[in-house]
Amino acid sequence: MQGQVIDFDTTVPIAFVKIFYNNTVTETDWEGKFDVDIINDNKPLLLTCKGYYDKNYYLTEGARTLLIKLVSNTSLKEKDIYSESQVNAIIKKVIESKDKNQPERALKSFEYKNYEHLLVSANPDSISNKIDTIVKHNWFGAAKIKLDSTNYKFKKLVEKQHIYQTEKVNLIQFSKKNTKETVIAARMAGFQKPLYEYLGLNLVSYSLYDNQLDILEMSIHNPISSYGRKLYVFKLIDTLQIQGRNVYRIYFQPKKLHDNKLRGLLYIDAESNAVAKAFFRIYGIVNINALYTFNYMKDYNLWFPEQRKFTVVKGNNAEDLNILGGTIKFTSGLEGVSKNASDHTYIKLVSTPYDIEINKEVAFKHPKIKIDVPDVSMSKPDKYWNAFKKDTLDVRKIKTYTSLDSLSLAENIEHKLFLGRKIFNGYFPVNIIDVDLRSLVKYNNFEGFRFGIGGVTNNKLSEKYKVSVYGAYGIKDQKLKYGFTPSYLLDKETNTWVSVSYADDLKEIGQIQFATESRRFKIYDPRPINISTFYNHKTFSAFIESKYIPKTETYFGIARSEVHPLFDYTYLLNDTSFSQFNITSAQFALQWNPFSSYMQTSTGRLEIEKKYPKFSFQYTKSIPNVLGNSFNFSKIDFRVFHEIPYLTGQVSSFIFQGGFAFGDVPLTNLYSVAPNNLNKDTLLKRITFAGKNSFETMYFNEFFSSKYMTFQARHTFNKVKIAYKIKPLISVVTRLAWGTMDHADRHIGFEYKTLDKGYIESGVEANSIYKGIGLTFFYRYGPNGLPKFEDNLALKISYVLDLGF
């Protein structure tokens, strides 16, 4: 009989469990599987494993396979479970020998072509062709019986073709510690031109020697990294031969037995201490398998990559899971096989190097740009792909391209994706104009409803220039606002634009805004709804934006503004009162993403692999005695954003932000650290919409600072199923702020407090409870906590719009 041994709590397979039966001893393999010859004598199997209680397992009559669950023994100390010094010495040598074994360290240069095939498919034999009867309950608990033919239809589909597939040929080059990828050819089923996002997708790392392994675009601690021995335990299984060389076979798993991290097998060359082969597996919301094979190059005494195979199948996820933007979906189900057909779906990636050249002259441009995608790579004829070895037994591959190409034409998928990108960035294309969705309707306490129209010309008119125009009218203040910005493209490759602009509009006082901040579509912007303190500005500016410096976005501009505060305020400077003033200033802004990866395409540079932390910096300086400038001041603003995603689906994020203003700065240009609470008597009267990173318990206009720092920490858990269709996304959040005000006596007619003693709030967000609507609850405490308990509370409504892109 065949069987598998798993952990009772985590359902993770347990490797190398000893099984005693009928005077014989067998062991589970690294995936917890085993074979045993059974005699019908009603005697149990005895299972033993360090870290677990021994178990006598009696056979179940009629069972075809054995699934045995062991309970962990928490009374054993960690040192009693893991104490193999020999294998640790081998791993230590592997880590110390990286310089001579990792191709990027041992070789001066190399290059090779790489053929990559990605498949989304399912095994038809694993899918039942029965039409199921399912019972659904409505809100009132009434049952409704329906026939479900999903499995039947899905089986018929995958018998004829795969669900999806793509192919890519790229040139990998290494020289002077830089690695470059150039796409030679690419094609995607259903698309005339492959998506740039797919070309930048890295499902699994190329190298096994880096401290972090990228798996499904998540970073995992490498067992052979400098700190790998602190996180993993290693067990020497046996010695064998690969390509005539003696190799140790070593199993590794996390030191914390219940940790669903990386597990696997390493095949280590006994002489050179290099990795000759590797199996990796991760158990969790998805089960991930990766196989690395290497070819020994005798001339260089080096194991060079031969092939990568990567497979993703459904795991023990309790929630629906989308991968590759929904190209593959795993539905929920903790144990057994779900009836839903998509549970049988898998992703399979095979990557094979060829035409390898070692230590020859290698030259490439822009080493900081990870991937180059020339236009010629996007339109290779079908005969080009015939040269690559295919599995001739798999007749479903050709039918997949034909079928999905027809589907793309029928459903106009490419146009939908084009439209989705536009909407995601806040625009809707109408012929030669992209209509600005954010300018249509807004609301705040000063203007009331603000109706407007705006847009920017697109590539259908010209690729070299564009003109952005908007106009808006406030029902309450009965004023017209407008602006226009003509721009000219200086360099297409680096997205360098030069622009001039004029605007007559309103701005919130104390607003913190970075010139390089990306624009994203929101169906509403919650904070301005309750703001009543604005100033009018008439601003003329000239500026240049560019991505010329790798991994950065830069902005430099000069602006002249006529500022009119629309509230009771006077700025007193040297016995002169200013109720209106002019500001002429220069501004330099930089967005630096040093750990992200970028792709160079015919349309510019794209950030294809978002890595953290990310840094924003901005410097603003008024220019004395130019165009009637009233004040002399400087401002420095910075922000650090860090995000840690986990394979479990949870995310931790941190924001550290600050600003310093020096000199003669009016209140309009100082800092209010994004408050978002109404100054009302009761909690229910203060209910409004929650912001994204605003202080929910801080009242509008309560605090102002000339110097400030804030810190925000957030952890988002997986969705929690509470009831039918009620699955909130829970986050816990803490925010801190500190600030001071220089020359407080200069600000006349406007009352506010300072943040010298600090400010703290913490809360819980339950977002997307139903149809995107959620609730947030925050509490204010610490030195600026209020005497009345209720005044420290904030209950808000949140809304998350899922555009499906």
Side-chain angles (χ1 to χ4, degrees):
M1 295 189 73
Q2 294 179 333
Q4 188 177 33
V5 181
I6 63 174
D7 184 285
F8 182 87
D9 297 311
T10 65
T11 72
V12 170
I14 308 173
F16 309 112
V17 178
K18 290 189 182 300
I19 302 173
F20 299 88
Y21 177 75
N22 194 30
N23 298 321
T24 62
V25 181
T26 186
E27 254 189 353
T28 61
D29 63 14
W30 77 288
E31 293 180 308
K33 296 179 181 179
F34 65 92
D35 294 315
V36 62
D37 293 324
I38 299 296
I39 300 173
N40 190 17
D41 58 3
N42 296 323
K43 290 183 178 179
L45 279 67
L46 172 63
L47 293 89
T48 66
C49 182
K50 286 184 179 180
Y52 290 89
Y53 289 104
D54 294 349
K55 179 167 185 171
N56 287 312
Y57 181 82
Y58 291 88
L59 302 177
T60 303
E61 187 174 348
R64 295 183 179 180
T65 59
L66 309 176
L67 182 64
I68 305 174
K69 299 180 180 180
L70 296 187
V71 177
S72 59
N73 183 358
T74 56
S75 65
L76 289 178
K77 295 181 179 180
E78 189 173 290
K79 66 180 182 180
D80 295 328
I81 302 174
Y82 310 116
S83 59
E84 298 191 36
S85 59
Q86 180 186 3
V87 66
N88 274 281
I90 296 173
I91 297 301
K92 186 173 184 289
K93 290 179 181 178
V94 173
I95 297 169
E96 293 172 347
S97 302
K98 282 185 180 182
D99 286 344
K100 66 177 184 179
N101 290 325
Q102 184 175 7
E104 289 82 358
R105 300 186 186 188
L107 300 174
K108 294 180 181 179
S109 65
F110 63 80
E111 73 174 29
Y112 61 88
K113 296 184 179 70
N114 186 70
Y115 171 69
E116 191 171 284
H117 182 257
L118 185 143
L119 194 66
V120 181
S121 189
N123 182 1
D125 296 334
S126 66
I127 304 169
S128 170
N129 57 5
K130 293 181 180 180
I131 297 178
D132 297 313
T133 301
I134 59 175
V135 179
K136 287 193 172 183
H137 296 273
N138 60 22
W139 280 90
F140 304 100
K144 184 179 181 181
I145 300 176
K146 296 179 66 177
L147 294 178
D148 181 16
S149 61
T150 305
N151 278 12
Y152 175 80
K153 293 178 180 178
F154 188 71
K155 183 180 180 72
K156 293 299 181 184
L157 171 68
V158 297
E159 283 177 342
K160 295 185 296 182
Q161 66 175 70
H162 297 298
I163 302 167
Y164 201 76
Q165 67 178 353
T166 68
E167 291 175 279
K168 180 173 71 171
V169 179
N170 49 358
L171 175 66
I172 307 295
Q173 297 173 292
F174 171 80
S175 179
K176 298 178 181 179
K177 298 184 179 180
N178 291 306
T179 302
K180 182 81 171 190
E181 176 182 343
T182 303
V183 177
I184 299 173
R187 67 172 174 173
M188 297 180 67
F191 296 89
Q192 291 183 353
K193 287 189 174 183
L195 300 177
Y196 289 126
E197 289 83 351
Y198 157 69
L199 298 177
L201 188 66
N202 184 23
L203 291 180
V204 61
S205 291
Y206 280 93
S207 175
L208 286 188
Y209 291 94
D210 295 330
N211 283 336
Q212 298 283 338
L213 295 175
D214 289 332
I215 297 178
L216 271 183
E217 300 193 303
M218 305 283 183
S219 292
I220 305 295
H221 292 303
N222 190 343
I224 56 172
S225 66
S226 55
Y227 41 78
R229 290 189 300 150
K230 297 179 180 179
L231 302 173
Y232 297 92
V233 60
F234 301 87
K235 181 175 182 179
L236 180 60
I237 307 303
D238 55 23
T239 303
L240 47 88
Q241 284 198 338
I242 299 179
Q243 297 183 28
R245 295 180 66 83
N246 291 331
V247 171
Y248 299 118
R249 188 163 68 110
I250 296 173
Y251 173 72
F252 68 88
Q253 69 180 31
K255 283 191 174 181
K256 296 180 180 179
L257 291 176
H258 290 173
D259 200 338
N260 290 349
K261 288 181 182 177
L262 201 63
R263 288 164 166 80
L265 291 171
L266 295 172
Y267 295 74
I268 305 300
D269 188 308
E271 181 182 338
S272 67
N273 301 307
V275 179
K277 190 177 181 180
F279 288 97
F280 290 159
R281 168 162 274 192
I282 293 176
Y283 300 93
I285 57 172
V286 290
N287 290 337
I288 299 169
N289 292 279
L291 167 62
Y292 286 81
T293 57
F294 297 82
N295 182 42
Y296 182 69
M297 294 183 168
K298 188 175 181 180
D299 293 342
Y300 303 98
N301 189 26
L302 187 75
W303 291 88
F304 200 83
E306 182 181 54
Q307 193 174 69
R308 296 179 302 153
K309 289 184 179 179
F310 178 77
T311 307
V312 182
V313 297
K314 180 181 178 294
N316 62 351
N317 51 306
E319 289 297 326
D320 291 355
L321 178 71
N322 292 309
I323 296 178
L324 306 182
T327 303
I328 178 171
K329 179 181 179 180
F330 296 119
T331 57
S332 59
L334 287 173
E335 290 189 4
V337 179
S338 169
K339 292 183 179 181
N340 194 298
S342 69
D343 286 358
H344 301 283
T345 308
Y346 62 83
I347 297 176
K348 184 178 181 181
L349 172 76
V350 179
S351 176
T352 308
Y354 67 99
D355 290 352
I356 300 169
E357 295 184 355
I358 304 294
N359 287 343
K360 292 188 177 181
E361 190 68 28
V362 172
F364 45 78
K365 298 191 303 180
H366 307 304
K368 297 297 183 182
I369 304 299
K370 183 178 180 180
I371 303 176
D372 269 334
V373 187
D375 271 348
V376 67
S377 67
M378 310 289 272
S379 55
K380 296 290 185 182
D382 289 342
K383 64 180 181 180
Y384 174 87
W385 300 99
N386 295 334
F388 296 96
K389 183 179 179 181
K390 304 288 198 315
D391 184 358
T392 55
L393 298 177
D394 191 352
V395 297
R396 295 188 291 169
K397 286 185 178 179
I398 297 176
K399 292 182 179 180
T400 303
Y401 278 116
T402 305
S403 174
L404 284 171
D405 283 340
S406 302
L407 178 66
S408 180
L409 291 172
E411 298 189 1
N412 207 6
I413 294 174
E414 286 184 273
H415 177 71
K416 290 179 180 178
L417 285 168
F418 165 78
L419 185 63
R421 287 193 187 99
K422 291 283 188 179
I423 294 176
F424 186 69
N425 286 290
Y427 295 99
F428 186 88
V430 179
N431 201 0
I432 64 171
I433 303 292
D434 290 345
V435 177
D436 189 344
L437 297 174
R438 298 180 76 176
S439 66
L440 298 177
V441 181
K442 294 183 180 180
Y443 180 87
N444 60 67
N445 278 338
F446 186 84
E447 296 176 284
F449 279 102
R450 170 180 168 135
F451 296 98
I453 187 70
V456 59
T457 59
N458 54 41
N459 290 347
K460 287 186 177 180
L461 179 65
S462 173
E463 292 186 352
K464 296 294 292 183
Y465 64 85
K466 61 184 178 181
V467 179
S468 175
V469 180
Y470 77 90
Y473 185 79
I475 300 299
K476 188 175 180 179
D477 69 338
Q478 298 183 346
K479 296 289 185 180
L480 177 68
K481 297 90 182 173
Y482 62 93
F484 60 90
T485 306
S487 304
Y488 181 76
L489 181 63
L490 289 180
D491 185 68
K492 186 176 182 179
E493 186 176 274
T494 60
N495 294 82
T496 302
W497 291 85
V498 60
S499 309
V500 293
S501 177
Y502 180 78
D504 184 347
D505 207 337
L506 304 182
K507 276 188 179 180
E508 173 194 351
I509 66 169
Q511 190 175 20
I512 303 166
Q513 193 169 13
F514 290 84
T516 53
E517 196 163 8
S518 60
R519 174 193 179 97
R520 289 292 180 262
F521 175 65
K522 297 178 183 177
I523 196 169
Y524 74 101
D525 193 2
R527 283 198 64 257
I529 290 177
N530 302 297
I531 297 173
S532 57
T533 47
F534 291 86
Y535 64 91
N536 173 253
H537 69 99
K538 297 177 181 178
T539 301
F540 176 82
S541 63
F543 55 93
I544 186 170
E545 301 166 288
S546 179
K547 296 180 181 179
Y548 178 80
I549 303 173
K551 302 191 177 188
T552 64
E553 296 178 35
T554 55
Y555 169 96
F556 178 75
I558 297 176
R560 197 266 187 184
S561 298
E562 297 178 10
V563 179
H564 180 198
L566 301 174
F567 53 96
D568 184 16
Y569 175 72
T570 301
Y571 185 66
L572 184 64
L573 179 64
N574 298 328
D575 298 327
T576 304
S577 299
F578 294 88
S579 56
Q580 299 183 39
F581 39 84
N582 300 327
I583 295 178
T584 305
S585 62
Q587 187 175 76
F588 172 75
L590 178 73
Q591 175 66 43
W592 183 38
N593 306 328
F595 304 103
S596 293
S597 297
Y598 285 80
M599 175 189 291
Q600 183 69 57
T601 72
S602 59
T603 59
R605 290 180 185 171
L606 302 175
E607 185 182 6
I608 53 155
E609 190 178 1
K610 293 179 171 62
K611 291 291 186 71
Y612 301 90
K614 297 185 173 186
F615 303 89
S616 302
F617 173 82
Q618 187 165 276
Y619 177 68
T620 307
K621 179 69 176 72
S622 67
I623 307 175
N625 305 317
V626 174
L627 300 177
N629 178 54
S630 303
F631 308 122
N632 184 13
F633 66 86
S634 300
K635 290 178 66 178
I636 299 173
D637 301 286
F638 63 89
R639 177 173 59 201
V640 181
F641 177 55
H642 188 49
E643 186 172 280
I644 305 173
Y646 306 97
L647 275 171
T648 59
Q650 301 182 42
V651 178
S652 297
S653 61
F654 308 91
I655 301 174
F656 178 62
Q657 184 169 311
F660 303 90
F662 309 94
D664 314 323
V665 196
L667 197 68
T668 52
N669 294 70
L670 291 178
Y671 306 108
S672 65
V673 298
N676 191 33
N677 201 15
L678 295 173
N679 195 0
K680 301 289 186 180
D681 295 334
T682 63
L683 176 63
L684 294 180
K685 289 182 179 180
R686 294 195 299 270
I687 293 178
T688 181
F689 284 101
K692 184 178 180 181
N693 293 310
S694 52
F695 283 79
E696 302 299 333
T697 60
M698 186 183 294
Y699 297 110
F700 288 107
N701 301 325
E702 184 178 4
F703 298 96
F704 280 88
S705 306
S706 58
K707 299 179 180 66
Y708 84 97
M709 287 186 292
T710 63
F711 177 76
Q712 302 188 35
R714 176 192 303 268
H715 184 82
T716 302
F717 299 92
N718 293 322
K719 286 185 176 181
V720 179
K721 185 175 182 179
I722 298 176
Y724 177 67
K725 290 188 177 181
I726 299 179
K727 300 176 182 179
L729 194 64
I730 306 295
S731 299
V732 290
V733 185
T734 292
R735 300 188 178 102
L736 301 90
W738 173 89
T740 62
M741 175 64 81
D742 295 334
H743 311 297
D745 55 333
R746 295 180 179 178
H747 308 286
I748 310 299
F750 192 85
E751 294 185 2
Y752 62 88
K753 295 188 291 184
T754 61
L755 289 166
D756 301 77
K757 297 180 180 179
Y759 188 97
I760 310 173
E761 71 172 23
S762 296
V764 177
E765 298 178 349
N767 295 310
S768 300
I769 296 176
Y770 184 73
K771 299 293 186 181
I773 298 174
L775 292 174
T776 71
F777 178 83
F778 281 85
Y779 180 70
R780 165 178 176 169
Y781 56 100
N784 267 297
L786 300 173
K788 189 177 178 182
F789 176 77
E790 186 184 17
D791 292 343
N792 293 303
L793 302 178
L795 179 64
K796 304 290 179 70
I797 300 170
S798 67
Y799 184 77
V800 177
L801 176 66
D802 184 3
L803 295 173
F805 307 123

